[in-house]
Amino acid sequence: MRPSDRTQGATLIVSLLFVMLILAVIMSVTAQVTLATRRSSVDQDAILRAQFAAESGAARVQARLRVMGGLLGSASLPPDGAQVMSDLAALCGLSSLPTAADGATLCTLNPTTGLNSAGGGVNSRVALLVNAVGQQAFQDAGITGATPEVRSRFWSDLFSGTQGVPLNGDQDASTYAVSYGLKPLAVIRDNATQYRLTFEVPDVTVTGRAGTATRTVRVRSNLPTLNLTVSQPSLAPYALLTNHHFNSAASEAGQNRITFTSRTLFSGPVHTNQQFMFQGKPWFGGAVTSAGCPAGSLGPQCDAISKTAAQPGAFFAGTYRSVADMTPSPDAPTECATGDANCAANPGVAPTFGAGVNWDSPVLPLPINSNNQQAAAQSGGIAIAGNVSSLSLYRDTVGGQDVQRVSFTSDASGTPVTTQLAFGADRRLRILAPDGNWQDATRNPDGTFMPGSPAATFNGVIHVGGNVGSLNAGPNAAAGAAIAPFAGVTLAATGDIDITSDLRYADPPCSGAHIRNADGTVTPAPCTNLNAQNILGIYASQGNVNLIRPGNGRATELGNDPTIHAVLMAGQGAVQVDGFNTGSALGSVNLIGGVIENYYGAFGTTSGDVQQTGYSRNFVFDPRTLAGLRPPYFPNAETWTVGLYDGATPVAEPRLRGDTVSTAGNP
């Protein structure tokens, strides 16, 4: 039956209503989805801002540690041992340091409050660091107005223990909250010239907030435990160190400078308290540093405390260049002669600094006496009063045992007396008795020796209260060893020390010489025997170390191309060749070790690049001294240094690493 028009109309209306209902449902769902999406986007934005805020807080802590590392990189303490000891005691909260053996813990520190102080002024617990890092270093780090009180607050906050100090902040409508402080643990006495503040670098927890969203970032330390080491560094680890970079006071007054030329090849650290002059293409394989004190300025205006007169820079072919005027950069400066069109490709003056250069290094004053060496010799070494006409060091065999011989002739009593001693790897001294037999040697109260028991032990130090007229290798002078494989010896004298023969190690760490290749590069002498233990230090505290050339009429004297294995030091004089400007060319002094001297002593003369008289220098640095092997009781620097170490390894700054990010706290 055909449907009526009324029925068809009703069906159409129902269909339209159904379609409208569906559309309404779709619109409602779409609106809900849109609102949810908008709400989700807002929430996600808040979460991201909270995350970024937390990460910014962690970055702020790392930046603070980075500033710490930069400040300590410039730290240096004046040569005032009493003040350093007082400041170290204050670290412990004490008025003076207790007597303690090497390696002893002097005090343990409160890990909760650390070194912090709520009071104003300078916190005595951090006075050491306030004195070590001055206002200029803080200025260079971007911290202005760094009075002693400001510097005290910085170090107090930094070492504030687990309580820490708040380092809160905000950015982009979000905030972060973090409290942080390094946790000091103990002060340890390594030895009389080195102390350590051990501390922990704690983990960092930072909470970031944006609206109701929170994020927590946890960051761990890369090196959880570090040492703040305060020490008087040994002067042994230098290939060359000069106080005055002139031959003599007269040369300094006349501005007659020492020149480093293309013949200059140094593989170890080189330092002067004054300014260098370069000609040609000298090569330096180790770090090069200069304090920049001009001629005639060493003293109150340019010393370990003040460098107001310093002019950081150097001379290039006679032309002075400040650091700002060095081209193309202070790290690799060159100099061109006027009108030299080929200079860009091949500069006339171009020193090579293989391990970097610092033109504004601290002044390193040299000691002015040998009191420490004398005290060591009197307590456990060989102390000789007055002059010594001859002192022989040589390897020998006594009773089938490999020994180090020490034979010397002194005239303190007015009559020459010869004493012959020997020691083996056990360091027990033996003496050649009047009957011609070797016996145990006992030490008399006046420092002399005689046969007797128990045998005295030898700490490696020989001190002479006068001049040493002839230091030689005795019967081993021509080809044998002066220093036995197990022996470490330091000879110190208040006067001159005259070297009159070769002095060789039985077990040298290096061999050969540095070689300048045809292309201008340098092949350093091979140093492959770095486990060798024999070492010799020679120190003239107020005189010179003189190398006695042939023709001086001595009973013994150096020959052509002599070999010296030792670290040589003249605290107030020079290491020099006696009669360097007379006679003929005698080859090279072949040194394995280093030279530390008040004045840069002359070895010979040249005409152009040709040796005319005396010796040229073939110096090979002994790298074992950088690794900690030193002649016993060898002089230390007068200044104290402060630095960060992981064990024996220097550390630029404590480092943090992000390895855990918490997602807790979603809205």
Side-chain angles (χ1 to χ4, degrees), residues 149-173:
E149 291 76 15
V150 170
R151 304 200 301 274
S152 173
R153 186 75 267 152
F154 175 87
W155 295 114
S156 297
D157 289 350
L158 192 66
F159 287 95
S160 55
T162 53
Q163 276 188 351
V165 293
L167 299 174
N168 304 331
D170 59 81
Q171 64 167 41
D172 192 23

Side-chain angles (χ1 to χ4, degrees), residues 148-332:
E149 291 76 15
V150 170
R151 304 200 301 274
S152 173
R153 186 75 267 152
F154 175 87
W155 295 114
S156 297
D157 289 350
L158 192 66
F159 287 95
S160 55
T162 53
Q163 276 188 351
V165 293
L167 299 174
N168 304 331
D170 59 81
Q171 64 167 41
D172 192 23
S174 58
T175 63
Y176 60 82
V178 56
S179 290
Y180 192 75
L182 300 173
K183 186 168 73 173
L185 302 176
V187 176
I188 298 170
R189 180 191 191 273
D190 289 329
N191 53 58
T193 59
Q194 181 167 302
Y195 297 80
R196 285 183 291 128
L197 167 64
T198 64
F199 64 93
E200 286 185 5
V201 183
D203 298 345
V204 180
T205 300
V206 189
T207 301
R209 300 182 184 276
T212 58
T214 63
R215 277 294 185 272
T216 301
V217 173
R218 295 185 179 90
V219 189
R220 290 197 308 172
S221 169
N222 195 38
L223 296 169
T225 303
L226 292 175
N227 297 311
L228 186 68
T229 299
V230 182
S231 63
Q232 273 186 305
S234 171
L235 292 171
Y238 281 94
L240 176 69
L241 191 159
T242 62
N243 187 30
H244 299 264
H245 208 63
F246 294 88
N247 280 338
S248 62
S251 294
E252 184 170 359
Q255 301 276 322
N256 185 15
R257 298 182 179 278
I258 297 293
T259 302
F260 286 150
T261 70
S262 298
R263 293 163 55 100
T264 301
L265 307 175
F266 281 112
S267 55
V270 173
H271 173 84
T272 184
N273 287 329
Q274 295 193 311
Q275 299 160 328
F276 295 117
M277 184 161 79
F278 305 102
Q279 179 71 54
K281 299 180 180 179
W283 174 85
F284 302 92
V288 174
T289 55
S290 68
C293 297
S297 70
L298 282 173
Q301 298 304 309
C302 209
D303 59 19
I305 300 174
S306 171
K307 287 182 59 182
T308 55
Q311 297 176 7
F315 289 82
F316 297 84
T319 300
Y320 173 75
R321 301 290 183 190
S322 68
V323 173
D325 291 336
M326 292 181 184
T327 57
S329 75
D331 297 327

Side-chain angles (χ1 to χ4, degrees), residues 462-481:
I462 305 168
H463 184 269
V464 176
N467 301 317
V468 178
S470 172
L471 173 61
N472 59 78
N476 290 355

